[in-house]
């Protein structure tokens, strides 16, 4: 029996562990609100019953997932929340699926542009995210923020990370989701909504 399961049986309360990721800037931007949210979160003390590991990932094909895996294997989280920027969206969106496809319009931060190909030639075509979407939406609403459902995380680095993470976690059964931040002037309300989500899950 795993140590955490035994401790649970003994009734000892342990903090739920969250691995939360954002991305570094890309496409000539100097900031990425998803990375800024990780820094914002790491600087706060408002996650009383949560143990948080916040990580900013590189916007690099293959690079994001290998960095994620390193932290996942070391931290062994109970839940995974991936975030990134979708500049052309107006609202916070939660992704339903990761697809087995990459078709980049712009290079990643190594200057690499991967077009029209499967992420994993022998992998499933798509995988569903595994944190209850209705619950995420109602938690965001309770913080006064609109969170909409999205059925496409795009065909760039965010979708590549999401797909690889969902594949990796399939047999581990760790719930995982992806939330895209919109393009906004001010992210105060967005960060508070994300904090409410983490504290409510
Ligand atoms: N957004 C990009 C990659 C990094 C990020 O924050 C995307 O949606 O694929």
């Amino acid at each position: 029996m795993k140590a955490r399961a035994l401790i649970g049986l003994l009734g000892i309360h342990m903090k739920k562990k969250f691995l939360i990721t954002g991305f570094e800037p890309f496409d000539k931007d100097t900031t990425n609100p998803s990375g800024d949210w990780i820094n914002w979160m790491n600087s706060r003390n408002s996650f009383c019953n949560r143990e948080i590991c916040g990580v900013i990932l590189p916007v690099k094909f293959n690079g994001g997932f290998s960095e994620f895996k390193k932290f996942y294997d070391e931290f062994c989280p109970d839940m995974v929340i991936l975030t990134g920027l979708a500049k052309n969206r107006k609202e916070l969106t939660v992704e339903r699926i990761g697809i087995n496809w990459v078709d980049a319009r712009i290079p990643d931060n190594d200057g690499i542009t991967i077009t029209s190909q499967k992420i994993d030639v022998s992998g499933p075509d798509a995988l569903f995210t595994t944190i209850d979407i209705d619950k995420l939406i109602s938690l965001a609403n309770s913080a006064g923020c609109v969170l909409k459902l999205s059925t496409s995380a795009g065909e760039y680095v965010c979708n590549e990370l999401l797909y690889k993470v969902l594949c990796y976690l399939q047999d581990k059964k760790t719930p995982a989701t992806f939330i895209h931040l919109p393009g906004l002037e001010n992210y105060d309300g967005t960060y508070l909504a994300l904090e409410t989500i983490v504290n409510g899950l």
Side-chain angles (χ1 to χ4, degrees):
M1 180 181 291
K2 280 188 170 177
R4 276 181 85 77
L6 179 62
I7 286 166
L9 269 183
L10 294 172
I12 299 167
H13 179 72
M14 280 184 83
K15 288 184 178 185
K16 211 185 248 187
K17 294 167 77 175
F18 283 74
L19 176 55
I20 305 178
T21 70
F23 277 106
E24 64 184 15
F26 66 105
D27 193 22
K28 301 187 192 90
D29 280 348
T30 50
T31 58
N32 185 328
S34 69
D36 294 345
W37 134 254
I38 299 298
N39 289 328
W40 181 91
M41 186 181 60
N42 283 343
S43 70
R44 285 169 67 95
N45 227 345
S46 50
F47 299 94
C48 326
N49 289 315
R50 306 280 177 259
E51 195 181 334
I52 309 283
C53 177
V55 184
I56 299 175
L57 300 174
V59 180
K60 293 177 182 177
F61 290 112
N62 302 312
F65 177 71
S66 54
E67 192 73 2
F68 167 89
K69 187 175 171 307
K70 209 169 69 190
F71 281 94
Y72 182 92
D73 292 347
E74 199 175 302
F75 184 60
C76 301
D78 300 301
M79 281 209 181
V80 169
I81 300 180
L82 312 168
T83 69
L85 169 65
K87 224 192 296 188
N88 54 356
R89 294 187 187 166
K90 296 275 168 285
E91 278 128 354
L92 207 56
T93 42
V94 54
E95 302 300 340
R96 169 95 77 198
I97 51 174
I99 59 168
N100 188 3
W101 195 254
V102 177
D103 196 4
R105 284 175 297 102
I106 52 170
D108 70 5
N109 285 354
D110 272 341
I112 292 167
T113 310
I114 301 181
T115 55
S116 293
Q117 60 181 261
K118 282 194 166 186
I119 294 167
D120 178 350
V121 284
S122 56
D125 287 340
L127 287 168
F128 287 99
T129 54
T130 47
I131 294 181
D132 182 353
I133 286 176
D134 290 336
K135 185 165 184 187
L136 290 168
I137 290 174
S138 75
L139 282 167
N141 289 346
S142 75
C145 185
V146 174
L147 173 64
K148 289 204 166 155
L149 172 65
S150 161
T151 47
S152 171
E155 295 164 315
Y156 189 51
V157 173
C158 285
N159 174 68
E160 189 225 20
L161 174 73
L162 174 59
Y163 178 79
K164 286 184 169 172
V165 166
L166 292 174
C167 286
Y168 187 60
L169 299 184
Q170 254 184 322
D171 59 337
K172 299 188 175 14
K173 309 270 183 254
T174 310
T177 197
F178 194 107
I179 297 177
H180 262 120
L181 282 71
L184 298 175
E185 291 287 312
N186 181 301
Y187 287 92
D188 293 351
T190 309
Y191 293 170
L192 286 171
L194 290 170
E195 180 184 65
T196 303
I197 287 172
V198 174
N199 277 324
L201 282 173

